[in-house]
Amino acid sequence: AVVSTQSTGPFNQYHMGITAENVAENYGISRHDQDVFAELSQNRVKEAIKNGVFLDEIVPVAVKSRKGTILVELDEHPRDTTLDGLSKLRPCFKTDGTVTPGNCSSINDGASACVLMSRDMARSRDVDPLGYIVSSAMVGCDPATMGMGPVPAIRSAVV
């Protein structure tokens, strides 16, 4: 398995991809199930991009490099993939693992922004709210299974 040190966690001193291996092992998620979900996910995002679902959500960004400037307008991760192609990939974090370059998260960058304000401030600025915060939660989890972090947070917020 080839592992970059760029994504080594500060708490457990191993690659974040190992946390995906830990989750798969702890919850009995097979390699096949991961590949099936990866194919489904890739197909869904490609269809959404084709239908312009994200056009109002992605702001093009000019990225300068030694080769010049490119305009990043779409998520760089979506791939043309098949279940057969995914099944041929080798594990990338553990020699006997189940997480591959085709069924794990990609290493790419993104950013988001959200303007929050009180109802009174929105009224004073004649702003129509797009949504409301009705609940929130902050919960920690073992860094060895950090991919499970949203589970207890959602359970706490949706009580």
Side-chain angles (χ1 to χ4, degrees), residues 45-77:
V45 74
K46 287 186 301 184
E47 187 70 19
I49 289 170
K50 184 176 92 175
N51 292 327
V53 171
F54 303 120
L55 289 178
D56 291 339
E57 298 178 27
I58 297 177
V59 176
V61 175
V63 178
K64 295 178 184 177
S65 73
R66 292 186 303 259
K67 297 179 183 179
T69 301
I70 61 167
L71 190 63
V72 178
E73 300 177 272
L74 295 171
D75 186 331
E76 62 192 357
H77 180 70

Side-chain angles (χ1 to χ4, degrees), residues 6-144:
Q6 292 176 331
S7 296
T8 298
F11 301 107
N12 47 26
Q13 299 307 309
Y14 54 74
H15 193 278
M16 288 171 46
I18 295 296
T19 69
E21 290 284 4
N22 294 341
V23 169
E25 185 176 321
N26 291 353
Y27 294 92
I29 304 168
S30 71
R31 161 72 186 267
H32 177 75
D33 287 347
Q34 291 174 67
D35 288 348
V36 167
F37 186 80
E39 180 189 38
L40 177 65
S41 179
Q42 290 291 336
N43 289 338
R44 284 178 174 171
V45 74
K46 287 186 301 184
E47 187 70 19
I49 289 170
K50 184 176 92 175
N51 292 327
V53 171
F54 303 120
L55 289 178
D56 291 339
E57 298 178 27
I58 297 177
V59 176
V61 175
V63 178
K64 295 178 184 177
S65 73
R66 292 186 303 259
K67 297 179 183 179
T69 301
I70 61 167
L71 190 63
V72 178
E73 300 177 272
L74 295 171
D75 186 331
E76 62 192 357
H77 180 70
R79 304 280 189 260
D80 289 325
T81 191
T82 64
L83 190 55
D84 183 55
L86 289 167
S87 70
K88 293 175 184 172
L89 296 173
R90 292 186 310 192
C92 54
F93 302 109
K94 289 172 59 177
T95 305
D96 62 343
T98 61
V99 180
T100 72
N103 66 24
C104 71
S105 298
S106 64
I107 299 176
N108 57 9
D109 295 320
S112 65
C114 180
V115 176
L116 299 175
M117 66 180 72
S118 70
R119 182 175 299 179
D120 290 341
M121 179 62 74
R123 283 186 186 133
S124 74
R125 295 179 175 264
D126 199 30
V127 173
D128 291 325
L130 298 175
Y132 300 91
I133 297 174
V134 295
S135 181
S136 66
M138 186 182 319
V139 179
C141 73
D142 182 348

